[in-house]
Structure formats: structure tokens, C-alpha cells
Amino acid sequence: MTTTPSPPHSVLPGLSAQADRLIQLGVHTTAGLTADALRRAAADGPAGGLLVVSPTAAPVSALAPLLSLGGRPGFVVEDMTDVDEFTPLPGLDMPTTPLYVIEPPDRGDDLANWSPDEALVELTTRGRTPLTLAEGVHWALQVPGAIERNHCFMTIGSRRVGARGRLDARTPALWISGGTGRDGRERRGAPKVGWCWAGNRHTWLGFASTTARHAVASGRQEA
């Protein structure tokens, strides 16, 4: 019987390899973790998932420049200086540990051209939970092919809550810069963290999601 190979963007390295990748990038230092602690935490996590460092330990603003496509580093769009204020959507069941593992993410290509508001309802109906921005960035750090031209994704599990308790109308996303506007021509082809309006549709943006999150040993360095 012939089997269809999994798309490249859906194949995750093992957790130990993911830990080594984060260490190579210096994420453990940003998060105040030792390399050994990160490796031990990865060894304790459920196999097959994606290792995530909580944004409370390693903010997205520090991780986005570590993204890379074609030798071009990632960046956050100029009008998203408040990127670290995009926290998990109220009601999401998030681990409180600095390190956790999510079940293998799906890019949600079949939801392209849905609005974030519409997609959130659909994902909930499917028993899935939307990826947060930090989780999406970690996925792209481990599997750069998760971001492909014309096949990128939103991370609507993160929203910014305003002073009056209302959700900011922006929803974060990861895609590839066209090198136009304030991005600058030198950033053409680079992975970028940006945003879209919650009520708008985009044919080239899916909605990344997972099925569960699992806390793992914190591994935080003792003083």
C-alpha cells in the first residue's frame, strides 16, 4: 500500500532536537534557563509535540529576530511595538510553567479566507485550540517551512486586552514580507510577525491550532 508523505511543514523534530535548537539560538539564556535544564525538560515532555518557552520567560519581541528564511532574519512589523502585550486569549487553558509542550500543530490551511472571528468559532467546534503567537513563533523556529509563501498562518490564541477590558481588534499572524512599505526592500522574503483585523479575511492565511498543552518541568536555574 502506498502512503502519502506528510507535508514538510507538519514534521516536527524530536523534543531533544528542539531543545538543542533553542539552545543554539540562545533562547535558554533569554529565559533564564540552563542548557541542561532545558534538555531535562524536553526529556520529560510527551513525544511528538512542540516544545514552547512561555513568553513570560522569553518574549516574542526577543524571539522574532531569530526566525529565518533564505538567510533573512525575522522581524516584527513597525506598527506592532506592543507585540509583547498580546497575551493568551482569555479562557485558554495555558500551563503556568516556563516550559510546556503542545500537541503537533496544524496550520489550518482549510480555513484560509475565513475571518479570525469566524475561525475561532470553527476551531472550537472542532475541539481544537488556537495557537498563541509565541507558539507560532516556536513552530517556525523549529520548522521554517511552516511559513510558506501563500500558505502562512494567524495565531488568534493571542490577543491584546485594552484598558477597558475589551479585545484589541488586531489579531497576530506570521507571514513572509514582500519588502514593501515600512518593511523595506532589504526584508523581502523575510519571515515577519504582523497583524490583521479580527473581522477581515485573507486567502493566504490559515489559522494555526493544536489539541492540547502539557506542562513540563520548569527547569528554571536556581539562584
Side-chain angles (χ1 to χ4, degrees), residues 88-155:
L89 189 69
L92 284 191
D93 185 14
M94 300 296 299
T96 58
T97 50
L99 295 164
Y100 63 96
V101 173
I102 68 172
E103 292 296 314
D106 178 81
R107 198 166 59 185
D109 291 352
D110 65 310
L111 295 177
N113 210 33
W114 291 49
S115 74
D117 287 340
E118 294 165 339
L120 181 58
V121 174
E122 177 63 18
L123 290 174
T124 302
T125 299
R126 296 180 183 183
R128 301 190 65 85
T129 178
L131 252 59
T132 66
L133 178 56
E135 292 164 354
V137 169
H138 276 79
W139 189 18
L141 285 174
Q142 300 291 351
V143 186
I147 305 176
E148 297 180 278
R149 193 167 297 281
N150 298 322
H151 294 288
C152 302
F153 59 90
M154 295 193 196
T155 54

Side-chain angles (χ1 to χ4, degrees), residues 15 30 39 55 63 104 120 132 161 188 213:
L15 289 176
T30 299
R39 291 191 178 104
L63 299 186
L120 181 58
T132 66
V161 180
R188 180 177 174 82
R213 300 173 173 89

Side-chain angles (χ1 to χ4, degrees), residues 32-59:
L33 304 170
T34 66
D36 285 346
L38 187 57
R39 291 191 178 104
R40 287 196 301 270
D44 289 339
L50 173 68
L51 181 64
V52 179
V53 181
S54 169
T56 60

Side-chain angles (χ1 to χ4, degrees), residues 75-81 177 179-187 192 195:
F75 66 99
V76 179
V77 294
E78 299 292 332
D79 57 353
M80 204 176 180
T81 56
S177 174
T180 59
R182 285 187 285 179
D183 285 2
R185 284 184 294 179
E186 70 280 3
R187 285 174 165 166
K192 64 189 280 187
W195 58 270

Side-chain angles (χ1 to χ4, degrees), residues 11-85:
V11 179
L12 283 168
L15 289 176
S16 294
Q18 291 181 41
D20 287 342
R21 170 67 172 158
L22 295 178
I23 292 165
Q24 177 189 29
L25 293 171
V27 175
H28 65 302
T29 302
T30 299
L33 304 170
T34 66
D36 285 346
L38 187 57
R39 291 191 178 104
R40 287 196 301 270
D44 289 339
L50 173 68
L51 181 64
V52 179
V53 181
S54 169
T56 60
V60 168
S61 60
L63 299 186
L66 303 178
L67 296 169
S68 180
L69 280 176
R72 294 178 176 82
F75 66 99
V76 179
V77 294
E78 299 292 332
D79 57 353
M80 204 176 180
T81 56
D82 55 358
V83 64
D84 292 331
E85 296 177 23

